[in-house]
Amino acid sequence: MTIKLEPHHLQAIRTHAESTYPEECCGIILGHLSDDRKTVLEVRPTENAWNEEAAEFPMRVGDGSKKRNYAIAPGDMLKAQREARDRSLNIIGVYHSHPDHPAIPSEMDRAIAWSVYSYLIVSVPQGKAGELQSWCLDDNRQFQPEEIIAQR
């Protein structure tokens, strides 16, 4: 599976990640899904809705703060689903940042992941967006790297 984005999509993710540092950012990715490719048409930043109640989640990372965890509010997901449907699009993924950590999924990321989505993670060392990788779950609920095609 591959995910195809335009450079401005990648830049929007990187800019959002830098703007929320040292906390994680998150957002929704809309586009089209075919048998072997996801094509991104819109990157939609959302607020990191991680809160103290979520911090009690057993799979949380670190101290349970927004510095190592994220959540997209159910209302934001529902709104994105409705708008995507109205525009004949799909939610094809979610992105988030890993401040001062590699762009590799955590156990928390895996615990909350959906098998049909792409998960783009951008590393943000010392406030500057770095490596960006895409991941998707296999049939055994393990993350596998997903090729990113940045097309102009």
Side-chain angles (χ1 to χ4, degrees), residues 34 130 136:
S34 68
C136 56

Side-chain angles (χ1 to χ4, degrees), residues 70-131:
Y70 79 95
I72 296 175
D76 289 343
M77 285 298 281
L78 185 58
K79 181 179 178 186
Q81 285 174 328
R82 286 182 180 145
E83 290 177 14
R85 182 192 61 221
D86 291 347
R87 295 168 51 201
S88 298
L89 300 175
N90 297 299
I91 295 176
I92 60 171
V94 169
Y95 74 85
H96 72 281
S97 61
H98 279 184
D100 298 317
H101 288 352
I104 298 171
S106 67
E107 279 302 307
M108 175 66 176
D109 293 337
R110 190 169 66 85
I112 64 173
W114 289 30
S115 61
V116 296
Y117 286 174
S118 292
Y119 289 87
L120 276 75
I121 303 174
V122 59
S123 173
V124 190
Q126 300 176 348
K128 191 73 174 155
E131 180 182 24

Side-chain angles (χ1 to χ4, degrees), residues 17-93:
E18 289 176 358
S19 74
T20 62
Y21 182 87
E23 294 181 343
E24 289 195 9
C25 75
C26 53
I28 301 168
I29 303 168
L30 303 178
H32 294 292
L33 178 62
S34 68
D35 290 338
D36 63 342
R37 178 176 289 172
K38 297 170 189 161
T39 303
V40 176
L41 296 178
E42 182 180 334
V43 170
R44 181 176 293 193
T46 62
E47 180 181 339
N48 183 346
W50 187 264
N51 59 32
E52 291 173 14
E53 284 130 26
E56 298 304 315
F57 190 74
M59 296 300 293
R60 73 184 184 279
V61 179
D63 64 0
S65 73
K66 289 183 182 182
K67 290 181 179 182
R68 297 287 310 274
N69 300 276
Y70 79 95
I72 296 175
D76 289 343
M77 285 298 281
L78 185 58
K79 181 179 178 186
Q81 285 174 328
R82 286 182 180 145
E83 290 177 14
R85 182 192 61 221
D86 291 347
R87 295 168 51 201
S88 298
L89 300 175
N90 297 299
I91 295 176
I92 60 171

Side-chain angles (χ1 to χ4, degrees), residues 124-140:
V124 190
Q126 300 176 348
K128 191 73 174 155
E131 180 182 24
L132 188 141
Q133 293 188 42
S134 186
W135 304 86
C136 56
L137 286 177
D138 64 16
D139 292 338
N140 296 315

